[in-house]
């Protein structure tokens, strides 16, 4: 049985304490999330383990927002569970941002593939390059987590090597120069 629910959660859901302490609480969980929520929660209770699950909770006005639910058991002197403490943290904005980032990454990958170009990061201090697989293929180098810049410099046209190196040396000499 539910022993306590703070006023804010009651206001958020629009349910009374008595309703929160009944099967009505499950009606606040998004139908698409309930199928995972219930077995996850049941498993944690059965095993007496901490529980964490992201799911949508319906607000009093009918709007669903993502929350991160967490519950931890409180144990008595001999290890038996005496209470469960839980929280529901609103993570809706975070989930939306993650979805936007994922979508933008997918769009970037499509644009890079269509353009047949890649991406690389040159660590000036370490004189090393981290690149995507497409960039390694374009430059005819084997994929690696990080490669020495010297391997990439060899791929620069001989007429351009000196000016490229001079520009990089100037950047190293003045790290405050934007690049």
């Amino acid at each position: 049985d539910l022993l306590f629910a703070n006023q804010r959660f009651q206001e958020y859901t629009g349910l009374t304490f008595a309703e929160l302490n009944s099967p009505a609480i499950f009606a606040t969980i998004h139908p698409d999330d309930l199928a995972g929520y219930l077995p996850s929660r049941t498993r944690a209770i059965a095993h007496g383990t901490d529980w964490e699950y992201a799911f949508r909770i319906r607000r009093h006005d009918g709007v669903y927002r993502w929350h991160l639910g967490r519950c931890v058991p409180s144990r008595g002197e001999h290890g038996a569970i005496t209470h469960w403490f839980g929280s529901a943290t609103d993570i809706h904005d975070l989930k939306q941002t993650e979805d936007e980032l994922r979508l933008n990454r997918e769009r970037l990958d499509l644009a890079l593939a269509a353009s047949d170009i890649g991406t690389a990061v040159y660590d000036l201090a370490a004189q090393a390059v981290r690149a995507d697989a497409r960039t390694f293929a374009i430059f005819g180098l084997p994929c690696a987590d990080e490669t020495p810049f010297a391997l990439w410099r060899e791929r620069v046209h001989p007429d351009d090597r000196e000016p490229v190196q001079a520009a990089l040396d100037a950047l190293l000499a003045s790290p405050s120069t934007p690049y």
Side-chain angles (χ1 to χ4, degrees):
D1 285 344
L2 186 64
L3 298 177
F4 173 79
N6 67 24
Q7 185 66 33
R8 183 169 181 171
F9 190 68
Q10 292 179 59
E11 289 170 358
Y12 181 88
T13 62
L15 299 178
T16 66
F17 180 78
E19 291 169 323
L20 289 173
N21 203 19
S22 75
I25 185 69
F26 297 115
T28 66
I29 299 171
H30 193 284
D32 293 345
D33 302 333
L34 196 55
Y37 169 93
L38 288 172
S40 170
R41 184 174 167 267
T42 301
R43 215 174 14 260
I45 291 170
H47 292 97
T49 57
D50 291 3
W51 174 78
E52 184 174 289
Y53 194 76
F55 59 101
R56 289 163 286 183
I57 300 175
R58 188 182 67 233
R59 200 168 52 195
H60 61 87
D61 60 1
V63 172
Y64 284 96
R65 290 184 60 86
W66 282 99
H67 287 75
L68 180 61
R70 290 185 173 139
C71 285
V72 296
S74 175
R75 299 182 185 276
E77 185 177 321
H78 301 289
I81 296 173
T82 57
H83 298 86
W84 285 85
F85 293 96
S87 65
T89 304
D90 187 318
I91 60 166
H92 192 80
D93 295 339
L94 175 64
K95 289 285 276 184
Q96 284 188 318
T97 300
E98 288 172 345
D99 289 346
E100 289 172 21
L101 285 172
R102 181 190 43 74
L103 182 60
N104 286 338
R105 181 62 202 197
E106 290 171 5
R107 289 176 178 157
L108 174 61
D109 288 344
L110 286 171
L112 291 172
S115 305
D116 198 26
I117 60 175
T119 60
V121 174
Y122 176 27
D123 184 332
L124 294 172
Q127 290 289 302
V129 176
R130 289 180 303 282
D132 64 7
R134 194 174 295 111
T135 301
F136 281 105
I138 290 167
F139 279 83
L141 291 170
C143 285
D145 289 339
E146 194 172 270
T147 54
F149 179 70
L151 291 176
W152 298 89
R153 186 176 35 239
E154 291 171 10
R155 300 308 198 268
V156 175
H157 190 278
D159 294 345
D160 296 329
R161 284 184 190 150
E162 189 176 314
V164 166
Q165 189 60 52
L168 293 173
D169 289 343
L171 287 171
L172 282 172
S174 177
S176 63
T177 303
Y179 174 69

